[in-house]
Amino acid sequence: MIVGGIYSFNKGREVVEANYAAELGEVQQVLKFINSSVFKLKISKEKAMLGRALYDPGALNQAFKQSFGVLGWQSHRVKCDYPTEFYTADYQPARSVKGAFREMDYVKNGLGVEVQFGKYAFMVYNVCAKMTIFHNLGLIQAGIEIVPLKEFADDMSSGVSYFEQFVWDLQQRGVADIDIPVLILGITADPVNEDEA
């Protein structure tokens, strides 16, 4: 895979390059290692793309998990104890909420990494909520969000969001006091070698 887009949210690029150069090198190593062509194995059943070969986000996520794991990155799960004191007197829950958690895909030395091949709302949530929560819990100081560029997302199931849309919205939103530095990496498939085509 290649990085085709870079966006520095709240000085994310500067902070990650200055304070997490070794970890950034490992992220780049993972991206170079994953050969995207082997993951174009999902045959679409969607009406607009019927029979078309698409990239399989689930298989891609597994490749990321394995590659990051080899380098010592670990997912980090935080149990959520949801408050109940805000229920009204008129509401009596049928059962309590148990087993809820938040999870960061990969954490190493204070840097959090999320890989997102899903809906747009998850990208925004990762950068504008989840990373702040993990920072407030003392688990990360900065983050990297890896998302597909539009041309890559176009070769996945419909509804997968993309780098260009995400960056535009972050630029329009601006940076808030609670936001942490996040480096946004837009990735795409490996270039096709003409000899192999």
Side-chain angles (χ1 to χ4, degrees), residues 29-163:
Q29 181 182 339
V30 165
L31 290 170
K32 285 180 185 175
F33 176 77
I34 295 174
N35 178 359
S36 58
S37 65
V38 302
F39 299 102
K40 197 168 191 177
L41 41 81
K42 182 178 178 182
I43 304 303
S44 177
K45 295 179 182 175
E46 296 178 42
K47 191 174 184 180
M49 298 188 276
L50 193 61
R52 187 169 143 199
L54 302 173
Y55 292 101
D56 183 342
L60 281 164
N61 275 322
Q62 280 302 112
F64 274 100
K65 184 176 183 176
Q66 182 178 7
S67 298
F68 273 109
V70 166
L71 295 174
W73 292 75
Q74 297 182 346
S75 65
H76 195 93
R77 187 178 280 198
V78 175
K79 183 179 177 217
C80 300
D81 292 319
Y82 294 139
T84 58
E85 67 267 20
F86 303 104
Y87 289 146
T88 65
D90 295 333
Y91 175 70
Q92 296 299 317
R95 60 187 171 278
S96 63
V97 178
K98 293 183 180 178
F101 64 90
R102 296 288 179 267
E103 186 171 19
M104 177 84 40
D105 287 344
Y106 312 104
V107 176
K108 189 173 188 181
N109 301 329
L111 182 65
V113 175
E114 285 285 318
V115 178
Q116 188 56 255
F117 296 121
K119 305 285 185 197
Y120 171 74
F122 295 118
M123 292 180 185
V124 174
Y125 172 74
N126 286 346
V127 171
C128 299
K130 187 195 294 189
M131 290 190 183
T132 301
I133 292 167
F134 275 72
H135 174 264
N136 290 345
L137 294 171
L139 300 168
I140 65 170
Q141 296 303 311
I144 295 176
E145 180 84 359
I146 300 171
V147 299
L149 288 165
K150 182 164 186 347
E151 72 172 25
F152 193 33
D154 284 348
D155 279 336
M156 295 180 185
S157 297
S158 61
V160 174
S161 192
Y162 49 90
F163 175 84

